[in-house]
Amino acid sequence: MPVTALRGQIVSLRDNPFERAPADCLDWHEDGLVIMEGGRITAAGPYEAVKGALPAGVTPAHHPDKILMPGLIDTHVHYPQIQMIGAYGEQLLEWLNTYTFPTELEFADQAHAARVARVFLRELLRAGTTTAMVYCTVHPQSVEAFFAESERLGTRMIAGKVLMDRNAPAALLDTAQRGHDESAALIARWHGRGRQLYAVTPRFAPTSTEAQLEAAGALLCDHPGVYMQTHLCENRAEIDWVRDLFPERASYLDTYDHAGLVGPRAVFGHAIHMHEGDFCTCHDRGAAIAFCPTSNLFLGSGLFKLAEASDPRRPVRVGLGTDVGAGTSLSQLQTLNEAYKVAALGGTRLDALRAFWLATLGGARALYLEDRLGRLAPGYEADLIVVDPRATPFMAFRAEHCRSIEEILFLLMTMGDDRAIAETWVAGRKVHDRDAPPDPIPFA
Ligand code: GUN
Ligand code: ZN
């Protein structure tokens, strides 16, 4: 395995700035060095201190004006929906019926799924995202296509087959038993194969019967270590519908809890209209929330209460999600841009260190992968990005007036997007180079 090395400014969170003084959470080296071997980081730190670990003959690629950062982590996204991003004019339930379900029907065709998976993963890497928690469709072949492409690229991805046995077009429905069996077969084939991880994926309570939610719970019991992803408390009409469909449950979250779906490695998308008791349950069980600001704004769903969710007295694990195709960008930088505004509308502030925590180590923590993803430190998997704060003339001009690394990071999260991602590295291999197209690994 060849040794590779990158030299540049290093920004890496090592602790949670929602719970400690932000300055105590940041590893920042103005002139830093990262050494990688065998898919892992073997050394990272100030150039002068680390350069002695460079093997003879290895010269680091030098990026004096750029920032080396961990690869970004997207905790909630639907790959089949990239072909309908930006669909006009509806809120959640109408949006699903009008745009989403017709689109997902196309994934019965594995060749179509393979093509969309290829485009999706290329766009993720161009946006600097190296790990995502991904919804496929109800078709097992949509999962197969996705993991096959992720395996080819060497990315660490979490994904699963959507479970739906009611309230959707007939061709998109499975049954409790079939959904269970197809999921079990996909777990056996993909969970823990290389870097791929499986998520049991009931779409949301309205499209699953009680029997299907229970079958999902049985899958989690039978396969310790697999993930669970679903949607929760996104939209008022959705919440009213869940109350009608599950009159015997105490709350929307309880429909999942009753089936054994609320625990470590469960990730709930949105969780906008939550009560204190819901946050307490998530905290107590170690379940996580994916904050999806561009989607929550685009569908008019509401403002996520980030400060409340992160209350250090009972913090809930929170990651950042793009939720494309309801979300409007695969860029975590653009997602942070909107996250800041959502916090502002809620009367709070999202500073740059907290923001980048959410997009890196905080996301990894939401996924229980914080021992291997989200930091530039020895032993961590070598997924990282080379970020260019002067990606456009306007950004370069604005950067002249930045006086601290926090201001540069804040510039990146307000003005930055995929243009600011100069390179993306996965498992120690360069998979995207903005300035040297075509991409280092062929995508077509
Ligand atoms: N709730 C159930 N399905 C979906 C989906 O595909 N996107 C969003 N944003 N919410 C959902
Ligand atoms: Zn979603």
Side-chain angles (χ1 to χ4, degrees):
M1 268 286 184
V3 177
T4 47
L6 294 171
R7 180 178 177 186
Q9 193 169 160
I10 287 180
V11 168
S12 173
L13 276 300
R14 65 168 177 274
D15 214 332
N16 184 351
F18 286 92
E19 296 178 13
R20 304 205 184 343
D24 295 343
C25 298
L26 179 66
D27 287 327
W28 174 56
H29 307 296
E30 205 156 6
D31 182 14
L33 179 63
V34 178
I35 305 176
M36 304 170 264
E37 186 176 10
R40 289 190 181 265
I41 294 170
T42 53
Y47 178 76
E48 287 302 328
V50 174
K51 69 179 185 193
L54 278 171
V58 175
T59 309
H62 194 191
H63 300 278
D65 300 324
K66 300 198 176 75
I67 301 174
L68 311 179
M69 232 186 243
L72 307 176
I73 296 175
D74 184 344
T75 58
H76 183 120
V77 61
H78 302 251
Y79 96 80
Q81 295 177 12
I82 60 167
Q83 65 189 73
M84 48 150 293
I85 185 172
Y88 174 77
E90 304 290 355
Q91 288 219 344
L92 175 64
L93 299 177
E94 298 76 23
W95 176 86
L96 284 171
N97 287 320
T98 311
Y99 299 115
T100 317
F101 293 153
T103 296
E104 293 191 8
L105 282 166
E106 295 180 35
F107 287 72
D109 174 2
Q110 186 160 344
H112 176 75
R115 178 167 167 266
V116 177
R118 259 198 313 276
V119 174
F120 172 79
L121 282 161
R122 180 189 61 204
E123 289 304 313
L124 269 195
L125 296 173
R126 283 192 346 94
T129 298
T130 49
T131 286
M133 190 160 184
V134 180
Y135 288 67
C136 303
T137 66
V138 73
H139 315 93
Q141 56 270 38
S142 73
V143 184
E144 192 63 33
F146 179 77
F147 277 137
E149 182 63 8
S150 175
E151 183 171 61
R152 191 173 80 85
L153 294 168
T155 43
R156 185 173 279 295
M157 291 285 154
I158 308 171
K161 173 201 126 68
V162 164
L163 299 167
M164 288 200 280
D165 67 348
R166 63 169 164 173
N167 293 322
L172 281 182
L173 297 181
D174 51 20
T175 62
Q177 189 64 49
R178 204 174 107 212
H180 172 278
D181 296 351
E182 289 175 350
S183 301
L186 288 164
I187 290 168
R189 188 162 155 72
W190 286 108
H191 184 69
R193 172 165 151 183
R195 303 187 79 194
Q196 313 313 316
L197 297 165
Y198 195 83
V200 173
T201 307
R203 176 173 221 118
F204 68 156
T207 46
S208 285
T209 59
E210 179 104 43
Q212 181 159 70
L213 295 178
E214 273 164 18
L219 284 166
L220 297 182
C221 268
D222 293 345
H223 304 280
V226 304
Y227 288 79
M228 199 291 299
Q229 60 183 343
T230 190
H231 297 84
L232 173 68
C233 294
E234 177 177 2
N235 167 287
R236 298 271 182 209
E238 169 210 20
I239 294 168
D240 291 345
W241 193 21
V242 171
R243 194 176 300 116
D244 291 345
L245 290 169
F246 295 87
E248 63 287 12
R249 296 288 157 257
S251 66
Y252 192 162
L253 183 59
D254 191 40
T255 64
Y256 299 133
D257 199 19
H258 189 78
L261 301 180
V262 185
R265 287 178 301 281
V267 179
F268 294 99
H270 308 285
I272 297 166
H273 308 285
M274 297 274 278
H275 299 294
E276 174 59 21
D278 298 325
F279 285 132
C280 287
T281 302
C282 288
H283 167 81
D284 291 344
R285 305 292 167 75
I289 291 172
F291 171 26
C292 306
T294 74
S295 166
N296 297 345
L297 295 171
F298 184 72
L299 291 183
S301 302
L303 304 176
F304 177 64
K305 294 175 271 193
L306 175 62
E308 236 177 282
S310 311
D311 187 334
R313 286 169 297 182
R314 48 118 195 84
V316 179
R317 290 165 195 250
V318 177
L320 198 63
T322 62
D323 193 32
V324 165
T328 51
S329 171
L330 286 174
S331 167
Q332 293 288 68
L333 300 177
Q334 275 307 294
T335 306
L336 288 175
N337 187 16
E338 301 309 295
Y340 176 82
K341 297 167 193 169
V342 168
L345 282 166
T348 60
R349 284 182 293 183
L350 178 60
D351 62 67
L353 294 188
R354 288 178 173 189
F356 279 89
W357 156 264
L358 290 176
T360 58
L361 191 58
R365 196 163 171 277
L367 302 177
Y368 287 79
L369 294 170
E370 70 271 26
D371 60 338
R372 64 195 67 188
L373 294 184
R375 266 186 83 183
L376 299 185
Y380 275 69
E381 296 178 359
D383 295 345
L384 56 97
I385 52 180
V386 180
V387 182
D388 180 3
R390 296 165 195 82
T392 68
F394 194 7
M395 289 174 75
F397 170 77
R398 179 64 182 87
E400 286 174 24
H401 303 274
C402 289
R403 289 175 306 277
S404 65
I405 185 61
E406 285 83 358
E407 288 190 9
I408 288 282
L409 291 173
F410 198 69
L411 158 64
L412 276 168
M413 65 185 260
T414 50
M415 298 181 78
D417 54 27
D418 55 300
R419 293 170 297 179
I421 308 301
E423 294 180 5
T424 303
W425 290 67
V426 162
R429 216 166 46 132
K430 183 157 61 172
V431 293
H432 166 63
D433 188 335
R434 178 194 65 182
D435 301 324
D439 286 301
I441 295 180
F443 282 91

